[in-house]
Amino acid sequence: MAFEKILTRYQDVPNYTGTIDEYIAQGGYQALPKALREFQPADLVETVKRSGLRGRGGAGFPCGVKWGFIPKDSPRPKYLVCNCDESEPGTFKDRMLIEEEPHQLIEGIVISSYAIGCHLAFIYCRGEFVSGAQVLERALREAYGRGFLGRNILGSGFELDVHVHRGAGAYICGEETGLLESLEGKRGQPRMKPPFPAISGLYRSPTVVNNVETLSNIPHIVLRGAEWYASIGPPKSAGPRLFSVSGHVERPGNYELPMSITLRELIFDHAGGIPNGRRLKAVIPGGSSAPVLTEQHLDVGMDFESLAAAGSMGGSGGVIVMDDTVCMVRVGEIVSRFYHHESCGQCTQCREGTAWLHKVLRRIEHGQGRKEDLDVLLDMCDNMKGKTICVLSDAAAMPIESYLAHFREEFEIHIRERTCPFEGRGAF
Amino acid sequence: MISDETKKRFDALVKRYPEKRSGLIPILHEVQAEVGYLSPEAIAWVAAYLTLSPADVMSVASFYDMLHLEPVGKHMIYVCQNLTCSLLGAEPLIRHLEDRLGIRMGETTPDGLISLKRMECLASCGTAPAIQIDGIFYERVTPQKLDELLEKLRNGRLRGSRA
Ligand SMILES: Cc1cc2nc3c(=O)[nH]c(=O)nc-3n(C[C@H](O)[C@H](O)[C@H](O)COP(=O)(O)O)c2cc1C
Ligand code: SF4
Ligand code: FES
């Protein structure tokens, strides 16, 4: 089935390089004057609420509702921070959006800033996005040059400055309060909530943090209307979504699709299915923090509700596909190594829990597992959830629980036979 | 230790932010590029520039994977070790690199030319396995491709940015 591309329609323009003239030639920067002339800020917030747009960064929180939390009568300045930390394993769509269509994001940032009354916005890019940050810097200069940024934007009296700020390599800086700490020049350690950033965020001022893809949707909602947007996909998961598909598929890449698509259609119709005549074994549908799904779940819809009902989550939209050569204990070892490395260490449950998970999974994979290890793992996971400053701890525990729930026998074989049964047969 | 020109850029940079401490990480990136690593003198310079204590600056720098408090090679090779890259051959790639350069991941060649570092997901999973050399992505990397890249690196024919 063919779907209308919205965020990635530029891909069908030959030799497109994302300059401001090319963006304007395909209808860019028409939403901004419309927003400034035809909408009061409060109307924009209502429009985005009615559109049903939900955050694409991980939690799926309704974007307009979040904007509505910004106090109107605060004497403090308001800030918008675009989250371009993109470090959830399996996710690579924000990098594509900033490198290939930077002006769509910038237009979204200007409109969103107008909606919440912000005059200074930041794009926080993960440190590794050296060239992505350069592309954004160049695009910002172009936008200033045409009067889309700076003083008195398009004669409206509205003013806004936007700066790119690069981090320096830390997954936890994707968590919005860790990000704000990092942007303030500190260690990226998440803050206790409440207060939420909408009340006290950057420099203790009201702050909205939104993902790159979320903000890239805004110009389209303004131009074509909330009703049009809400009609795309299932009612509670409106709009197009970029799915990053990677791993054992014929055609890995980013696919822009409505969330009414099923996991099976995404993997087999769009990404071309599993290579080398292999079978699908497991798939992580929303970044490595998401619990794993198996063949029996292939008909699940890729919307937030259906994935939650299937015991997983939509998360960041990163879909990692694994064929039947893959050892799930090894997957657990890799995933737990990641969370162990990235825990910021503030909370005991997370700091100790991630270290233990990795240690135990490693010894099982290397043939030194003990009979009681599976209970140890489950106890540990239980202890890590719902008790910490941020949800990295939950994100580390949930996938491991799911590997045990769906592939327990594989873990038991490792322990019983004191070796990895996959060794030499596609071990990775 | 830091050129006047760089310092002028820092003066402009910190003005972007309502609180100048926000300039810390961008400044550490640039100082690291100019000095080679965040030496105690470099840390002290940055601390004085932002009127912070050296211990404070050190504590921030130590939090981030891309900031180095010990000397590193002139060129930095990052190899992604996360799930998709592992599924598609990151470990054989790492062994190949270690063999070719005679050092382990986390080490620097004795001539000070190249450092190797394991990294987490680099947001390149669609073109895995992925590496970065001096800030530039190289994707769908094979051992042969790696050999070509090392050759170019040694001959100074690979562009890159360490800041
Ligand atoms: C450990 C952790 C890492 C996260 N990493 C990212 C990230 O890399 N990019 C992102 O947009 N959101 C990330 N988030 C979600 C953010 O905290 C926040 O919900 C999001 O930026 C809000 O924007 P949205 O409402 O537009 O999705 C992360 C959350 C957690 C707990
Ligand atoms: S849960 Fe983990 S990452 Fe989050 S604040 Fe606590 S220790 Fe840090
Ligand atoms: S897993 Fe290597 S780039 Fe994502």
Side-chain angles (χ1 to χ4, degrees):
Chain A
M1 231 194 298
F3 298 100
E4 185 198 346
K5 288 185 187 172
I6 297 157
L7 303 176
T8 59
R9 63 181 170 178
Y10 68 86
Q11 289 174 348
D12 298 328
V13 181
N15 308 318
Y16 192 80
T17 62
T19 60
I20 199 161
D21 288 322
E22 289 169 291
Y23 180 64
I24 289 171
Q26 54 141 8
Y29 286 115
Q30 287 180 12
L32 177 60
K34 180 169 182 196
L36 294 173
R37 281 177 205 138
E38 296 173 23
F39 289 79
Q40 290 301 312
D43 302 335
L44 274 175
V45 175
E46 281 313 307
T47 299
V48 172
K49 275 187 195 164
R50 274 191 291 119
S51 76
L53 170 63
R54 295 172 65 169
R56 303 292 196 249
F61 194 82
C63 182
V65 175
K66 187 190 283 190
W67 291 5
F69 292 152
I70 293 289
K72 277 166 207 63
D73 47 4
S74 168
R76 303 187 71 92
K78 294 158 188 103
Y79 298 109
L80 176 73
V81 180
C82 172
N83 190 340
C84 184
D85 193 60
E86 188 161 70
S87 353
E88 177 71 17
T91 319
F92 46 91
K93 47 141 186 125
D94 296 337
R95 182 181 150 213
M96 180 184 80
L97 286 175
I98 60 162
E99 288 182 353
E100 297 181 1
E101 189 69 314
H103 284 288
Q104 177 173 253
L105 172 64
I106 293 170
E107 187 175 14
I109 288 175
V110 186
I111 298 170
S112 306
S113 297
Y114 172 67
I116 63 164
C118 153
H119 302 291
L120 180 57
F122 295 96
I123 307 174
Y124 183 100
C125 282
R126 63 179 292 182
E128 293 86 347
F129 286 177
V130 179
S131 43
Q134 286 165 353
V135 173
L136 282 172
E137 300 267 13
R138 195 180 322 129
L140 286 173
R141 280 196 299 274
E142 288 178 329
Y144 273 104
R146 304 292 176 94
F148 299 133
L149 282 172
R151 316 286 141 247
N152 194 16
I153 295 172
L154 301 177
S156 66
F158 176 64
E159 65 174 83
L160 175 70
D161 283 316
V162 181
H163 299 295
V164 177
H165 181 99
R166 254 175 70 224
Y171 168 67
I172 196 57
C173 294
E175 195 280 340
E176 56 187 10
T177 60
L179 184 155
L180 296 175
E181 285 286 301
S182 180
L183 184 47
E184 290 181 7
K186 301 172 191 154
R187 296 164 70 91
Q189 289 177 323
R191 300 173 181 169
M192 204 80 94
K193 295 189 246 190
F196 288 91
I199 307 301
S200 177
L202 189 62
Y203 311 120
R204 300 159 304 286
S205 290
T207 304
V208 164
V209 182
N210 271 139
N211 171 264
V212 170
E213 184 186 344
T214 311
L215 293 169
S216 296
N217 276 281
I218 300 296
H220 304 284
I221 294 173
V222 168
L223 215 49
R224 299 171 72 174
E227 287 63 36
W228 162 79
Y229 193 85
S231 74
I232 301 169
K236 289 185 178 167
S237 292
R241 175 153 215 202
L242 285 169
F243 294 104
S244 303
V245 186
S246 73
H248 293 143
V249 287
E250 285 286 357
R251 294 190 295 273
N254 285 313
Y255 291 91
E256 180 180 0
L257 294 164
M259 288 180 256
S260 46
I261 195 99
T262 66
L263 184 53
R264 185 190 303 280
E265 288 167 325
L266 180 60
I267 295 174
F268 289 90
D269 298 348
H270 294 277
I274 318 295
N276 307 318
R278 287 282 168 189
R279 281 178 73 89
L280 179 125
K281 174 171 183 171
V283 47
I284 296 172
S288 74
S289 306
V292 75
L293 298 175
T294 63
E295 226 178 352
Q296 77 189 69
H297 301 108
L298 278 174
D299 293 308
V300 67
M302 290 301 287
D303 59 295
F304 291 102
E305 268 72 30
S306 303
L307 285 166
S312 189
M313 60 189 211
S316 65
V319 179
I320 307 173
V321 180
M322 292 170 268
D323 72 15
D324 56 357
T325 62
V326 172
C327 168
M328 289 310 290
V329 182
R330 173 78 178 130
V331 172
E333 184 193 357
I334 292 171
V335 170
S336 63
R337 174 179 66 190
F338 168 68
Y339 291 103
H340 172 42
H341 180 252
E342 302 298 340
S343 167
C344 85
Q346 288 187 99
C347 319
T348 317
Q349 293 92 334
C350 175
R351 185 182 63 241
E352 306 286 323
T354 53
W356 269 99
L357 286 186
H358 181 223
K359 186 178 156 144
V360 173
L361 284 160
R362 202 172 123 144
R363 81 176 171 227
I364 299 175
E365 171 63 5
H366 294 269
Q368 283 131 29
R370 304 169 194 166
K371 257 211 327 279
E372 64 279 11
D373 274 352
L374 302 190
D375 292 331
V376 171
L377 284 175
L378 289 174
D379 274 354
M380 202 98 67
C381 288
D382 196 47
N383 196 37
M384 287 169 71
K385 292 188 299 179
K387 304 188 177 86
T388 48
I389 295 175
C390 85
V391 295
L392 181 139
S393 191
D394 303 67
M398 289 183 315
I400 305 303
E401 285 180 323
S402 76
Y403 306 165
L404 276 161
H406 294 299
F407 301 97
R408 189 174 176 106
E409 207 183 282
E410 214 164 290
F411 287 76
E412 287 168 351
I413 294 172
H414 278 76
I415 295 174
R416 201 165 358 126
E417 298 183 357
R418 310 206 123 263
T419 182
C420 174
F422 291 85
E423 216 88 63
R425 282 204 295 128
F428 58 95
Chain B
M1 112 170 305
I2 297 300
S3 69
D4 282 348
E5 197 189 312
T6 307
K7 191 176 159 294
K8 269 208 202 87
R9 259 187 298 135
F10 293 168
D11 294 343
L13 177 89
V14 295
K15 287 209 185 77
R16 294 175 165 189
Y17 305 97
E19 296 180 8
K20 75 175 182 183
R21 180 178 179 133
S22 280
L24 177 55
I25 292 167
I27 288 175
L28 287 174
H29 272 301
E30 290 210 32
V31 168
Q32 173 168 285
E34 199 158 308
V35 179
Y37 77 107
L38 295 174
S39 62
E41 296 75 29
I43 293 278
W45 188 94
V46 174
Y49 179 76
L50 290 174
T51 48
L52 301 169
S53 76
D56 192 354
V57 173
M58 186 88 103
S59 149
V60 172
S62 68
F63 190 82
Y64 297 93
D65 286 343
M66 296 175 69
L67 300 177
H68 309 295
L69 294 165
E70 301 290 332
V72 288
K74 184 157 170 267
H75 302 287
M76 178 62 75
I77 304 184
Y78 291 155
V79 186
C80 172
Q81 64 167 355
N82 212 290
L83 185 52
T84 299
C85 288
S86 292
L87 290 171
L88 297 173
E91 290 302 326
L93 218 53
I94 287 173
R95 284 194 293 276
H96 184 83
L97 260 179
E98 290 181 334
D99 285 350
R100 276 286 183 274
L101 296 175
I103 55 170
R104 307 295 305 270
M105 296 305 287
E107 295 178 352
T108 302
T109 52
D111 59 4
L113 192 67
I114 298 172
S115 290
L116 297 178
K117 193 166 163 63
R118 286 175 177 267
M119 292 296 269
E120 298 301 351
C121 180
L122 292 169
S124 274
C125 334
T127 38
I131 68 170
Q132 254 198 348
I133 304 179
D134 298 338
I136 307 290
F137 279 102
Y138 300 92
E139 302 171 301
R140 296 187 210 277
V141 180
T142 58
Q144 294 81 327
K145 204 158 157 182
L146 210 49
D147 286 340
E148 290 164 27
L149 288 170
L150 288 177
E151 184 65 23
K152 280 193 187 157
L153 197 61
R154 286 210 184 83
N155 298 334
R157 288 193 292 119
L158 216 55
R159 78 199 167 93
S161 153
R162 288 295 303 279

